[in-house]
Amino acid sequence: MKRKLKNNASKGFVISGLIITSIMLIMVVASIFYTPYAPTAMDYDSILEGPSLTLMGTDNMGRDIFSRVMTGTRTTLLIAAGIVAFGAFFGTIIGALCGYFGGILDEILMRINDALFAFPGILLALVFVSLFGKGKYNVVLALGIAFIPSFARIARSEFLREKNMAYVSLAKLWGTSDFRIMVAHILPNTASVMVPSVLIGFNNAVLAEAGLSFLGVGVQPPDASLGMMLSDAGQYIFSSPTYVLGPGITLVLLVLGFSLLGEGLSNEK
């Protein structure tokens, strides 16, 4: 009975997450081809207007908030995808090598991994962008490096467990190379753990990017970002609440959607 309730809850999480993320992705794809107004077009005669034909009103420079939310969501998702892709790719390689081969290689790589893991991701990213400059590409690189340790630990754990399975021993008896065993045999069997981890990592990447942009070291003007919009809107929270609510609610929905997907898939293992 408990297992059935757990499975039903997991399916509910997945379905809810899919609905929310689908809506967000539809808006992102639509923003490539169409926005109600030019996201960077300023109109100083229409500063901080409330919702009307512009849906969410205008910001402190007369720009359409909804159009900027559309493009800002796209920017945030693209940066988060880059961060997770970088962290998952290199983290999985490191974790796979450590888990499969073990020994001195495991000791060296995991000590380096632990050293990186000891630093908070945002702090590491702030140090990186202060040294190499602001901008979305440096944010991807900085946060991507910060995400490597978590993926490396997960991959190491999975490869360490899988390498002792019967199918791996059989593949070795057939003379299969270690590389092929790792890529073609073990890696696909880690999907049930790695996929939810990637979704949760994506959720964390969205928050991390928004945090850096909020602090002014992430996405730079004239590009739009949800974190930067929230930073700009902070001083107008009472005079123009829709300025805050637009990017704020969108960011909450993004995080909620990927959290539900990750949680649901994790529980279905």
Side-chain angles (χ1 to χ4, degrees):
M1 183 65 179
K2 288 183 179 179
R3 186 171 183 178
K4 185 177 180 180
L5 289 173
K6 183 179 179 181
N7 289 336
N8 289 336
S10 299
K11 289 178 181 178
F13 286 156
V14 171
I15 292 171
S16 300
L18 281 173
I19 292 172
I20 295 171
T21 53
S22 295
I23 293 172
M24 294 293 104
L25 290 175
I26 288 170
M27 183 174 70
V28 166
V29 173
S31 71
I32 299 173
F33 307 100
Y34 169 79
T35 54
Y37 298 89
T40 57
M42 294 180 284
D43 183 359
Y44 289 105
D45 293 326
S46 305
I47 291 176
L48 297 177
E49 286 190 348
S52 58
L53 294 176
T54 58
L55 295 179
M56 293 182 181
T58 58
D59 66 8
N60 58 316
M61 294 185 181
R63 297 170 297 192
D64 181 53
I65 294 174
F66 182 65
S67 298
R68 289 181 64 77
V69 164
M70 291 176 72
T71 56
T73 304
R74 185 178 72 208
T75 301
T76 296
L77 285 178
L78 287 175
I79 292 175
I83 292 167
V84 172
F86 187 96
F89 179 76
F90 289 103
T92 300
I93 291 175
I94 293 170
L97 292 173
C98 291
Y100 187 81
F101 292 107
I104 189 66
L105 180 67
D106 183 26
E107 286 294 325
I108 293 172
L109 291 180
M110 289 312 294
R111 295 297 75 76
I112 296 172
N113 191 74
D114 290 342
L116 278 174
F117 199 77
F119 288 94
I122 291 291
L123 179 60
L124 189 64
L126 284 172
V127 171
F128 189 94
V129 296
S130 66
L131 291 174
F132 298 102
K134 304 174 183 179
K136 52 190 174 185
Y137 297 110
N138 283 342
V139 167
V140 170
L141 190 57
L143 289 175
I145 292 171
F147 273 51
I148 288 175
S150 57
F151 284 109
R153 284 189 170 190
I154 295 168
R156 178 183 179 274
S157 175
E158 289 301 299
F159 273 77
L160 194 61
R161 178 174 61 85
E162 292 292 327
K163 75 173 184 179
N164 296 316
M165 294 295 182
Y167 72 89
V168 175
S169 300
L170 185 61
K172 288 180 178 179
L173 287 175
W174 280 94
T176 308
S177 67
D178 289 328
F179 178 78
R180 182 170 178 78
I181 290 173
M182 292 170 68
V183 174
H185 296 278
I186 297 180
L187 187 60
N189 287 317
T190 66
S192 62
V193 173
M194 294 304 294
V195 171
S197 299
V198 166
L199 289 172
I200 293 170
F202 199 95
N203 173 42
N204 293 333
V206 168
L207 285 173
E209 185 281 326
L212 288 180
S213 294
F214 184 87
L215 294 173
V217 296
V219 176
Q220 299 298 301
D223 292 334
S225 167
L226 297 178
M228 184 173 63
M229 291 180 69
L230 283 172
S231 178
D232 293 340
Q235 58 186 310
Y236 305 105
I237 190 169
F238 296 111
S239 59
S240 182
T242 53
Y243 191 1
V244 178
L245 291 176
I249 291 174
T250 304
L251 185 60
V252 169
L253 289 175
L254 273 178
V255 172
L256 178 63
F258 286 106
S259 294
L260 289 172
L261 273 177
E263 184 69 21
L265 291 174
S266 295
N267 291 335
E268 284 187 351
K269 292 188 299 178

